[in-house]
Each structure stands twice: as C-alpha cells, then as structure tokens.
C-alpha cells in the first residue's frame, strides 16, 4: 500500500479490525519510509460496476463519489457518518447483487433518493433539487409540498 504522505510503496499493518457494520476491514498502517500512520479499508467487491450516464457515457462506479454526494445533501443535518456509510454500502450491495454490470445514472439516483427519504426529509429534498434539476423556486416548492403530503 502506497503511503499517502511520502508515496513510499511499503507499509506495515499495525492493527486490523472489522467496521461496525462488518462490511469492511479497517487496517491501521505505518509507512516504512517516513513512519506516518494511516488507515485503509478493505471491502468485498462482487463485480465491476459501470454507471451509464444520460448521454450514454460509461464510467466506473465510484463509491467515494456516491458517499460525497450523500454527505453534501446531509450536511448540517442530524445524519451521522455511520448512517451515510450504511446507506452507501446498502446501495452498492443492491447494485452488485442485481446481476447487472451496468446501472443507469437514473436508477442509481432513485436508489439514493429512496434511501435519503427514509433517512432525512431535508437531505432528501436537497438531493432531489440537484438530481431532478430544479430550474425555478416553483419546482422546489412543488416537490417539497409532495414530500409533506406523503408524510
């Protein structure tokens, strides 16, 4: 594992333990070059996933990108990093077990929307405003009204 500080290629594992949800192994490492310590996470990857964008362009599924977009929607909300991690893991697991190697960006967006709707209504509306590309305040108002009507 390459050191993120000095880019030395050798590091020594000092501690390994499962994450709280058991979906990954957290490894604490020490660089043999500069002595810095850092953590890595090891997860099971069932298959290579590709996201097909609206314009037909394919891009590799990026778990970190999904995590960032959900974290942005949930910023300053009572949503913990563990809840976000569980949601991202759940979405990735659904995609990997679907049997498909490619997923449409729309399908991925809907999975995020479903998860955020259960997690936090404000984060759900924030994500929807970008995902559904609201153009006017009226779009936002209509969507927020439908969320309130749904309970």
């Amino acid at each position: 594992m390459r050191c993120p500080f000095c880019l030395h290629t050798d590091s020594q594992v000092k501690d390994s333990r499962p994450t709280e949800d058991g979906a990954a192994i957290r490894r604490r490492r020490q660089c043999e070059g500069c002595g810095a310590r850092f953590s890595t996470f090891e997860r099971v990857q069932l298959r290579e996933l590709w996201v097909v964008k609206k314009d037909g362009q394919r891009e590799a599924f990026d778990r970190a990108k999904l995590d960032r977009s959900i974290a942005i929607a949930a910023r300053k909300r009572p949503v913990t990093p563990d809840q976000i991690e569980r949601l991202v893991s759940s979405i990735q697991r659904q995609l990997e077990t679907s049997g498909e190697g490619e997923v449409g960006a729309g399908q991925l967006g809907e999975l995020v929307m479903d998860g955020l709707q259960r997690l936090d209504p404000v984060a759900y509306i924030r994500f929807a405003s970008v995902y559904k590309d609201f153009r006017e305040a009226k779009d936002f108002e209509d969507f927020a009204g439908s969320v309130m009507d749904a309970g």
Side-chain angles (χ1 to χ4, degrees), residues 12-138:
Q12 186 177 36
V13 175
K14 293 295 186 180
D15 180 47
S16 291
R17 61 181 64 177
T19 56
E20 285 184 25
D21 63 357
I25 300 290
R26 177 182 180 267
R27 299 199 193 285
R28 197 71 186 131
R29 297 177 177 270
Q30 184 170 3
C31 175
E32 292 181 359
C34 68
R37 289 185 174 230
F38 57 97
S39 294
T40 59
F41 291 86
E42 181 179 318
R43 289 181 174 74
V44 172
Q45 182 175 346
L46 297 176
R47 66 179 66 234
E48 189 74 23
L49 291 172
W50 294 90
V51 177
V52 181
K53 302 290 194 169
K54 290 177 186 175
D55 64 2
Q57 180 183 354
R58 295 174 67 229
E59 114 181 2
F61 174 77
D62 184 352
R63 181 186 173 90
K65 184 176 179 181
L66 180 60
D67 187 83
R68 275 191 311 275
S69 64
I70 293 172
I72 288 169
R75 186 176 292 149
K76 295 186 180 182
R77 297 296 303 154
V79 177
T80 66
D82 284 342
Q83 289 174 305
I84 293 171
E85 175 64 27
R86 281 194 298 274
L87 177 57
V88 171
S89 291
S90 170
I91 291 169
Q92 185 175 10
R93 201 168 28 255
Q94 287 177 58
L95 295 174
E96 288 177 341
T97 59
S98 72
E100 299 294 322
E102 293 183 346
V103 61
Q107 181 185 357
L108 180 56
E110 290 300 323
L111 289 172
V112 173
M113 295 267 293
D114 290 346
L116 283 175
Q117 187 174 22
R118 290 188 303 273
L119 197 58
D120 183 79
V122 173
Y124 171 63
I125 292 171
R126 285 178 180 168
F127 186 85
S129 69
V130 174
Y131 173 66
K132 295 192 179 281
D133 196 24
F134 292 169
R135 299 274 183 203
E136 302 173 2
K138 181 79 172 130

